[in-house]
Amino acid sequence: VQRFCNDGAVKINGQCRYHNYHLRPHDQIEINLTSFHQSTMNLVSSHRYVDRLLSFHTSLVRNELSNSHRLRVLYEDDDIAVVFKPAGIHSSPYEHTIKRQLFTLEDLLPLFVQPPTSLASMREALLFPKVAHRLDYRVPGCIIAAKTNLALVSINNQFSHHTVSKEYRAILAGSLDLQQLPNELVKPIGCNSRGPVWLISTSTSNDSRSVRSTDIPDSSTSLSMLQVLESSACNVYGSLHRVSLSPITGRRHQLREHCALLGAPILGDDLYH
């Protein structure tokens, strides 16, 4: 009944009233059957939505294929939560696209992330936890969710100023002779205990791929660091390479595209392979 009143399906003396209105003698109650029916359908749809969401959440938590790849919280405090996102789920909704109908990690956060408990955090609390950055649909890994406005702004600023370091592990398929590739595409920038570190640089301009300043990359440059950890022969692809990848900029599909440009795409990549 509260829902019907708030949806405008019930009017008192010709005016919409909220459910907390106290009826008085001689009040005239008007029920709009069309709005009443629509409100009923909305209520049924809401229940169905919640049922589907709970079922989706349960399937990810009880991942029977791999316990290490199930949806779970890795770290949590009053401001943020670090969540493990399984492969096959989008990080956050895509507004105004057909993908908006799909459940995402952000939709699931209220089901298993605890709300803030301290008074200071409660004052800054978001209505629902919000994913602070994206991770590709096909990629499992850690995602930071913000619980407060202050945390969300802080995390966004850190990503914008490239003060957050990210490392991915991948298996590349194919020949990976980095020394034979042009310096405009890849060049060595140092060495550590694991071996040489290479910088991959591409430009979105159509006429050339030029290496630009790595201090403040402009909007048309994509930069990634690569380090080969292990290589082995393969009868199908010639060779396989276990690598460490670190994006400096954050373009869409950047690491996948960079590996493909090197002639050794990520194993199993259905788009750039």
Side-chain angles (χ1 to χ4, degrees):
V1 172
Q2 294 176 3
R3 178 70 175 270
F4 298 151
C5 291
N6 294 340
D7 284 351
V10 179
K11 291 184 177 181
I12 310 297
N13 301 324
Q15 294 183 346
C16 295
R17 299 287 187 181
Y18 289 109
H19 66 273
N20 58 356
Y21 174 81
H22 293 281
L23 287 173
R24 301 167 183 171
H26 309 296
D27 276 348
Q28 293 184 353
I29 303 173
E30 176 187 351
I31 299 177
N32 186 318
L33 294 180
T34 302
S35 298
F36 188 85
H37 176 71
Q38 184 61 48
S39 186
T40 304
M41 295 303 296
N42 291 342
L43 188 61
V44 172
S45 298
S46 296
H47 282 295
R48 289 175 179 170
Y49 174 87
V50 172
D51 287 342
R52 288 170 47 230
L53 187 63
L54 289 173
S55 177
F56 184 58
H57 172 253
T58 302
S59 67
L60 293 173
V61 171
R62 299 177 180 175
N63 190 335
E64 297 178 357
L65 297 178
S66 173
N67 187 56
S68 63
H69 280 198
R70 62 182 177 83
L71 177 68
R72 63 193 188 278
V73 176
L74 302 176
Y75 171 82
E76 188 170 11
D77 58 30
D78 268 351
D79 298 300
I80 66 167
V82 180
V83 179
F84 182 85
K85 182 192 84 69
I89 174 176
H90 290 285
S91 304
S92 54
Y94 286 81
E95 298 294 343
H96 311 301
T97 71
I98 193 172
K99 291 181 179 180
R100 184 63 187 92
Q101 306 301 320
L102 302 175
F103 286 131
T104 67
L105 176 66
E106 191 167 281
D107 295 321
L108 297 172
L109 290 177
L111 299 180
F112 65 99
V113 170
Q114 300 300 316
T117 56
S118 69
L119 184 60
S121 295
M122 289 173 65
R123 289 172 178 169
E124 284 283 328
L126 298 167
L127 183 60
F128 297 110
K130 190 171 183 61
V131 166
H133 59 102
R134 292 184 184 270
L135 193 58
D136 193 73
Y137 171 84
R138 299 166 178 80
V139 179
C142 303
I143 282 189
I144 304 173
K147 299 183 182 182
T148 65
N149 283 300
L150 188 62
L152 184 60
V153 171
S154 176
I155 295 169
N156 285 339
N157 286 338
Q158 291 179 63
F159 274 100
S160 298
H161 293 92
H162 306 288
T163 58
V164 178
S165 58
K166 296 180 288 184
E167 182 181 359
Y168 298 83
R169 296 295 175 89
I171 297 177
L172 309 188
S175 175
L176 191 62
D177 193 351
L178 299 175
Q179 294 180 343
Q180 299 301 317
L181 295 173
N183 286 340
E184 292 79 7
L185 175 61
V186 58
K187 63 178 182 179
I189 58 171
C191 188
N192 58 30
S193 59
R194 299 188 298 191
V197 179
W198 298 81
L199 176 69
I200 308 169
S201 176
T202 60
S203 173
T204 57
S205 59
N206 295 326
D207 54 349
S208 66
R209 294 193 189 105
S210 58
V211 178
R212 309 180 188 224
S213 171
T214 61
D215 294 329
I216 306 177
D218 66 36
S219 59
S220 65
T221 306
S222 299
L223 300 171
S224 304
M225 291 191 299
L226 176 144
Q227 191 166 30
V228 180
L229 305 177
E230 183 180 2
S231 298
S232 61
C234 175
N235 292 332
V236 178
Y237 300 106
S239 57
L240 296 175
H241 313 273
R242 186 168 66 91
V243 300
S244 167
L245 297 165
S246 297
I248 299 175
T249 54
R251 311 290 181 258
R252 186 184 182 196
H253 297 171
Q254 175 177 309
L255 296 179
R256 298 164 64 188
E257 185 175 359
H258 278 178
C259 292
L261 289 173
L262 298 179
I266 296 175
L267 184 65
D269 191 336
D270 58 347
L271 185 60
Y272 294 94
H273 202 281

